[in-house]
């Protein structure tokens, strides 16, 4: 299976790319995948030219083909002005409108403050829902203070597991509570009262 990682990080090294790599590694621990990374920083000029002349350059066309043919995507953007970066949005603007239909996508973002964590829900999730992708339930946001802190690794593993199950068609893992017998509340009350359950509120 082919997993394509789209990273919109601008600096080198980049926390956005670091998060992307950790997510891809987590998927790789759960299933066998061929990983291809698309660095949007390297495609910025060709993306701009695509807007003005309507044709992708060679590198951009290869990235578009990679995304279109992928079995699953991990997309990671830094937060700018409380939303995804312009470069990130521009790349998906120049994709074919049907390229992501039905494709499993894991959304993630990085930012300087935890206050921007809702960017996943108010910006990224609606974007990929509009593109008719299948977005995994768990998005991963990493603020500066999250690196090395408790909780980030668990979110990465959970999101990677959800993407893996969508890519492979595996069923959701059973929880210990799945086999518990469900007893109606009225029966439980009747068992506690010698005279049974009486009317009233």
């Amino acid at each position: 299976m082919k997993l394509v990682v789209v990273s919109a990080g601008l600096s080198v090294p980049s926390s956005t790319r670091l998060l992307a790599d950790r997510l891809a590694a987590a998927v790789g621990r759960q299933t066998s995948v061929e990983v291809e990374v698309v660095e949007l920083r390297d495609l910025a000029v060709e993306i701009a030219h695509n807007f003005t002349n309507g044709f992708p350059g060679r590198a951009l066309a290869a990235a578009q083909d990679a995304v279109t043919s992928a079995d699953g995507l991990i997309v990671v953007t830094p937060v700018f002005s409380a939303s995804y970066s312009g470069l990130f949005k521009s790349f998906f603007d120049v994709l074919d409108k049907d390229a992501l239909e039905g494709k499993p996508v894991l959304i993630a973002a990085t930012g300087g403050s935890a206050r921007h964590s809702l960017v996943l829900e108010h910006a990224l999730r609606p974007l990929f829902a509009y593109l008719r992708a299948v977005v995994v339930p768990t998005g991963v946001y990493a603020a500066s203070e999250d690196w090395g802190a408790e909780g980030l690794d668990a979110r990465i593993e959970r999101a990677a597991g959800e993407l893996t199950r969508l890519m492979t068609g595996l069923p959701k893992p059973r929880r210990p509570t799945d086999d518990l017998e469900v007893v109606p509340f009225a029966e439980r009350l009747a068992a506690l009262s010698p005279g049974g359950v009486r009317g009233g509120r």
Side-chain angles (χ1 to χ4, degrees):
M1 282 187 303
K2 183 177 179 181
L3 173 65
V4 172
V5 180
V6 178
S7 171
L10 298 179
S11 59
V12 181
S14 162
S15 61
T16 300
R17 176 61 188 269
L18 176 60
L19 180 58
D21 289 343
R22 289 181 64 175
L23 288 164
V27 173
R29 288 192 291 271
Q30 300 187 39
T31 190
S32 178
V33 288
E34 172 194 347
V35 178
E36 180 175 346
V37 178
V38 174
E39 282 278 12
L40 298 187
R41 178 185 65 246
D42 300 332
L43 301 173
V45 173
E46 289 194 18
I47 291 172
H49 286 169
N50 195 164
F51 276 113
T52 57
N53 64 26
F55 297 98
R58 183 174 299 176
L60 177 57
Q64 291 171 329
D65 289 343
V67 168
T68 302
S69 63
D71 297 296
L73 294 177
I74 294 172
V75 298
V76 192
T77 179
V79 174
F80 287 98
S81 301
S83 189
Y84 37 64
S85 73
L87 179 60
F88 181 86
K89 178 61 162 56
S90 295
F91 174 73
F92 291 101
D93 282 343
V94 297
L95 273 182
D96 182 88
K97 63 182 180 65
D98 298 320
L100 300 187
E101 184 173 0
K103 197 176 299 295
V105 176
L106 191 168
I107 56 174
T110 58
S113 167
R115 289 175 296 179
H116 293 302
S117 61
L118 286 178
V119 69
L120 297 171
E121 306 305 325
H122 74 68
L124 271 77
R125 197 175 296 277
L127 170 63
F128 289 96
Y130 174 79
L131 295 172
R132 301 190 301 281
V134 180
V135 184
V136 304
T138 301
V140 180
Y141 178 82
S144 298
E145 62 264 29
D146 287 327
W147 298 103
E150 185 178 353
L152 180 59
D153 286 344
R155 295 198 304 276
I156 287 172
E157 291 297 327
R158 183 168 63 245
E162 292 168 356
L163 181 63
T164 299
R165 288 192 293 275
L166 284 175
M167 290 175 64
T168 60
L170 293 174
K172 183 178 179 181
R174 294 183 65 79
R175 300 169 300 172
T177 56
D178 287 345
D179 295 322
L180 292 179
E181 180 184 1
V182 178
V183 179
F185 186 62
E187 289 184 23
R188 288 196 177 273
L189 285 178
L192 294 174
S193 174
V197 181
R198 300 182 183 277
R201 294 192 297 176

